[in-house]
Amino acid sequence: MAPRSVLETIQSVLQRNMVREFLAEFLSTYVMMVFGLGSVAHMVLGENSGSYLGVNLGFGFGVTMGVHVAGGISGAHMNAAVTFTNCALGRMSWKKFPVYVLGQFLGSFSAAATTYLIFYGAINHFAGGDLLVTGSKATANIFATYLPEYMTLWRGFLDEAFVTGMLQLCLFAITDKKNSPALQGTEPLVIGILVTVLGVSLGMNSGYAINPSRDLPPRLFTFIAGWGKQVFRAGNNWWWVPVVAPLLGAYLGGIVYLGLIHPSIPQDPQRLENFTARDQKVTASCKNAASANTSGSVPLEHL
């Protein structure tokens, strides 16, 4: 096959909607996760070069950049829970679900591999060459979330479900054109701020994975890269909670918004407002005209 025909075939494939959406979810998730995991690496490995606030900002602005990368193509979900909710509530076809999630998982896995390569020397130096999952020299927590000692499995489940529900509720509000959405063009920044605020205010207990695509693929990477089976066993087999709880939480958060807020929004509040204003003007004009007519100045029928 001639090089020209190969190029044309590739271009034809890339023009298909499903392929474009897959690539958009892959790249946007990759961008988000590189910024996010890199900020966690600074907090874990650096003595004075990282902080919990830095992690929140890293993931928040990582989301912002991800939305800029793919928002106009796939919507830049970057989150299997968000994709699941949009499908379950009829806002997107179920046919797209595996395409979106596969793109997100591969993007997240690739970002974990990239982060490992970038910080390889620092990871080995930090723990003396050991790849530990728990303890003061643990480095697996750079890539996935792990419960602190004071949290139980089911309290962590409720925590993840609640925080993800808040995320989805606010996402629907930010993008609802019939309510009070973010100004056009500011959506990526507002969504990034939302993720940052969720981390600052609610992220301590479970690490606010709030995203199966953020937690499971990097955890799988650490299993392959040498951290071993403990990445799945730690925290009383915590690994499945950041996968299942966000799906439930996002779905419930979406139902709360669409069930309680969205139906209560006037169909066209601006038109109603204008109509009321015009009605008030007409009433005032009629009163003035009537007053003028009684003084013999202007006949009412000439108004």
Side-chain angles (χ1 to χ4, degrees):
M1 185 178 292
R4 183 180 180 84
S5 59
V6 171
L7 182 61
E8 290 175 350
T9 301
I10 294 174
Q11 290 176 338
S12 176
V13 171
L14 293 178
Q15 289 302 313
R16 297 175 185 173
N17 285 338
M18 285 290 193
V19 175
R20 293 173 67 242
E21 289 167 347
F22 166 81
L23 293 174
E25 286 299 309
F26 171 86
L27 191 55
S28 60
T29 306
Y30 177 84
V31 168
M32 172 193 73
M33 291 297 291
V34 165
F35 285 129
L37 296 181
S39 65
V40 180
H42 277 77
M43 181 182 72
V44 173
L45 304 173
E47 295 181 2
N48 299 306
S49 59
S51 65
Y52 182 67
L53 177 59
V55 172
N56 298 323
L57 292 172
F59 271 107
F61 285 100
V63 168
T64 294
M65 294 301 108
V67 176
H68 277 298
V69 167
I73 301 172
S74 66
H77 290 184
M78 301 176 283
N79 187 333
V82 172
T83 303
F84 171 81
T85 300
N86 277 275
C87 291
L89 296 178
R91 299 165 73 92
M92 193 175 87
S93 170
W94 278 107
K95 292 181 180 179
K96 295 187 176 184
F97 181 75
V99 176
Y100 273 56
V101 173
L102 180 61
Q104 293 162 9
F105 273 41
L106 290 177
S108 183
F109 186 92
S110 300
T114 301
T115 303
Y116 177 69
L117 291 174
I118 292 173
F119 294 97
Y120 178 80
I123 291 172
N124 281 331
H125 175 75
F126 180 78
D130 295 326
L131 299 178
L132 303 176
V133 177
T134 58
S136 60
K137 293 294 183 178
T139 49
N141 55 348
I142 294 173
F143 301 92
T145 61
Y146 293 88
L147 276 183
E149 294 181 358
Y150 62 84
M151 288 292 290
T152 64
L153 187 71
W154 290 106
R155 284 172 61 194
F157 184 98
L158 293 176
D159 188 83
E160 280 291 307
F162 175 75
V163 180
T164 313
M166 292 291 289
L167 170 70
Q168 185 63 71
L169 186 153
C170 293
L171 284 175
F172 276 169
I174 290 169
T175 58
D176 189 349
K177 302 301 183 185
K178 295 183 178 180
N179 193 358
S180 182
L183 296 176
Q184 186 174 3
T186 67
E187 296 93 337
L189 178 60
V190 175
I191 293 172
I193 292 173
L194 167 63
V195 173
T196 301
V197 170
L198 287 174
V200 169
S201 59
L202 299 169
M204 183 180 74
N205 285 333
S206 63
Y208 85 119
I210 58 175
N211 181 357
S213 306
R214 175 262 178 272
D215 201 82
L216 184 58
R219 192 183 300 272
L220 181 60
F221 171 80
T222 55
F223 169 73
I224 296 172
W227 276 267
K229 296 179 181 179
Q230 189 63 18
V231 300
F232 293 105
R233 294 173 176 170
N236 195 22
N237 299 312
W238 163 256
W239 72 269
W240 65 271
V241 175
V243 177
V244 177
L247 299 177
L248 176 63
Y251 181 68
L252 294 177
I255 288 178
V256 168
Y257 182 81
L258 295 180
L260 300 182
I261 301 298
H262 190 74
S264 304
I265 302 171
Q267 291 299 310
D268 193 347
Q270 188 63 43
R271 181 182 300 177
L272 179 61
E273 183 179 306
N274 292 341
F275 177 80
T276 303
R278 286 198 307 269
D279 185 60
Q280 290 174 345
K281 288 180 180 178
V282 170
T283 303
S285 298
C286 290
K287 289 181 178 178
N288 292 338
S291 176
N293 189 43
T294 57
S295 63
S297 301
V298 183
L300 185 60
E301 61 268 24
H302 288 173
L303 294 176

